[in-house]
Amino acid sequence: MTSAEIHHDPDAVPSTARGVLTVDLGAIAANWRWLAALSGPAECAGVLKADAYGLGLEPVAKALDGAGCRTFFVATTGEAGRLKAALPAAMVYIFDGLMPGTAHEIARIGAIPVLGSRAEVEEWVAYCRSVETRLPAALHLDTGMSRLGVPPGEVEELGRDRDLFQAFDLRLVISHLACADTPGHPTSDAQRLLFDQLRRALPPARASLANSAGIMLGSAFRYDLVRPGIALYGGRAVAGRPNPAAKVVRLEARILQVRDLPAGTAVGYGSAFVTDRSSRIATIATGYADGFLRSISGPIGLPSPPATIAGHSAPIVGRVSMDVITLDVTDVPAEFVHRGAFAELIGRHVLIDDLADSSGTIGYEVLTRLGDRYHRMYVGGGEKRTAG
Ligand SMILES: *Cc1c(COP(=O)(O)O)cnc(C)c1O
């Protein structure tokens, strides 16, 4: 899939904006359509936890709704409340499940808990009985992550308790894959077979196993509903393969200062970088407080990808500070390097996953840490929206 360049209107950026995060809602919609077509006849949901992986819950939800997405997953009851306020007709599942005493609030906002233990099932059942309504819920089965979900050894006994299942509407049974991003990993098939076995102990219900990477494992993993997150946002689902998703994010930050330094001059904390030639250094307005991880300047991971200024490469040098980073702009034509100009950190040349690889982390963490100090611009969503 090719992607259009992610551009915003430069005049729309306030002069006080030190950095700009541009989110291409059209690319998110295109990624959803691609995953939905790949997954059919299974339904394609959208995972919008953590503020839609840091990109903005409400605008992302509306873009997905416009593309045809009707089922959404979030992590928390608070996120579910925001999503139902933006899209009242949406089916919204909460991965956290049922925290003690939250049944009334979940029912009030019209969301659906993903129950992960007998205790949660019993609490939901007690609430359903108290309001004399068979409210919907999903059930999470643990098939190998030992994290959330009913442990495999407890599913059969739970399934025998048919009174419980009379009291609520079992909409969906899910499990989650531990190693789907590694194609051919034996754990994925083992989890799929255990999922099939455990489901036989329960009343019939729709089933869901695949996240983004799980979709790529083939039709056997897709069941009735798939739950992509990262691939919607342009991130890499499967390690070691080209990423066919359309690019969604562009991150730029302004040049605060430019200075010319002789060879042998230290730059930044710890004097970690020393110029080896007569150099021009630009100080850029983003730092680890903005989610630009400090580990990019450490010994972990691949060498950091360069920033670009007007398409010219500008290597990141020295340590990442809280609010700023420094770029070697010696080889960038001087006309492009001035106070207030933008350097691009993620976008045409550098992908989320490139930055992640050089920070010793994953694209998910890079995205969810992008802070609220960036001016956010949404493009490609039909109408133009701006926030922050
Ligand atoms: C986050 C999450 C997903 C989405 O995963 P991606 O790898 O981002 O596609 C799906 N299911 C569960 C249970 C999750 O926690």
Side-chain angles (χ1 to χ4, degrees):
M1 184 174 298
T2 55
S3 74
E5 298 292 335
I6 304 160
H7 275 306
H8 58 74
D9 175 1
D11 297 335
V13 180
S15 54
T16 51
R18 62 200 303 270
V20 178
L21 178 66
T22 309
V23 178
D24 187 339
L25 296 173
I28 293 177
N31 286 334
W32 183 84
R33 282 191 226 99
W34 161 57
L35 294 163
L38 192 62
S39 303
E43 180 187 348
C44 189
V47 178
L48 274 66
K49 60 197 184 188
D51 201 28
Y53 289 43
L55 300 184
L57 183 78
E58 288 84 0
V60 169
K62 287 183 176 156
L64 289 174
D65 180 63
C69 182
R70 297 291 172 260
T71 301
F72 300 86
F73 291 84
V74 293
T76 73
T77 305
E79 291 166 352
R82 281 173 57 191
L83 189 40
K84 288 295 283 186
L87 291 179
M91 186 105 80
V92 179
Y93 289 93
I94 302 173
F95 282 138
D96 271 354
L98 192 61
M99 288 202 297
T102 59
H104 177 72
E105 175 62 8
I106 291 174
R108 187 188 69 78
I109 61 181
I112 307 176
V114 181
L115 307 173
S117 66
R118 171 178 275 271
E120 288 177 45
V121 172
E122 286 175 351
E123 188 170 335
W124 191 245
V125 163
Y127 182 76
C128 288
R129 287 180 177 147
S130 75
V131 296
E132 296 178 10
T133 313
R134 285 185 85 231
L135 294 167
L139 191 63
H140 192 158
L141 307 180
D142 175 17
T143 57
M145 285 199 79
S146 312
R147 200 183 62 161
L148 295 173
V150 183
E154 298 177 19
V155 173
E156 204 170 310
E157 196 191 327
L158 183 66
R160 272 200 297 271
D161 212 335
R162 292 288 153 148
D163 279 0
L164 291 176
F165 292 93
Q166 291 301 323
F168 72 101
D169 172 11
L170 180 63
R171 281 281 169 89
L172 186 69
V173 177
I174 80 160
S175 191
H176 194 44
L177 296 164
C179 306
D181 58 350
T182 310
H185 198 293
T187 297
S188 299
D189 273 321
Q191 284 192 264
R192 180 170 61 78
L193 296 174
L194 182 55
F195 188 49
D196 290 339
Q197 182 198 319
L198 295 175
R199 281 169 49 240
R200 284 198 281 274
L202 298 171
R206 297 174 82 212
S208 174
L209 181 61
N211 63 343
S212 302
I215 292 171
M216 310 304 160
L217 294 177
S219 57
F221 287 84
R222 295 179 194 142
Y223 293 88
D224 302 302
L225 180 123
V226 296
R227 312 186 304 267
I230 195 72
L232 295 173
Y233 309 112
R236 181 175 66 203
V238 182
R241 283 209 201 141
N243 178 3
K247 286 178 202 170
V248 169
V249 172
R250 183 175 187 208
L251 180 64
E252 301 156 285
R254 283 199 206 268
I255 298 175
L256 297 173
Q257 284 202 18
V258 184
R259 63 188 57 206
D260 292 302
L261 303 173
T265 310
V267 177
Y269 282 118
S271 303
F273 177 76
V274 178
T275 55
D276 60 2
R277 56 174 177 169
S278 173
S279 301
R280 175 167 290 168
I281 299 293
T283 301
I284 306 296
T286 189
Y288 59 76
D290 302 291
F292 202 85
L293 300 178
R294 186 175 178 278
S295 51
I296 201 172
S297 51
I300 322 162
L302 303 175
S304 62
T308 54
I309 298 174
H312 297 272
S313 179
I316 299 166
V317 295
R319 296 232 173 106
V320 174
S321 303
M322 185 182 292
D323 312 302
V324 297
I325 58 173
T326 36
L327 305 182
D328 181 347
V329 296
T330 315
D331 299 326
V332 180
E335 59 189 297
F336 301 121
V337 183
H338 55 84
R339 197 165 62 89
F342 281 106
E344 184 180 281
L345 300 157
I346 300 173
R348 266 166 294 190
H349 306 281
V350 176
L351 303 176
I352 299 153
D353 293 291
D354 299 328
L355 213 54
D357 289 343
S358 56
S359 314
T361 185
I362 53 177
Y364 301 68
E365 188 177 15
V366 169
L367 278 182
T368 53
R369 291 220 187 184
L370 295 172
D372 57 13
R373 295 203 293 188
Y374 297 115
H375 178 75
R376 287 168 180 244
M377 303 201 69
Y378 293 95
V379 299
E383 66 196 290
K384 187 174 282 174
R385 271 186 292 259
T386 173

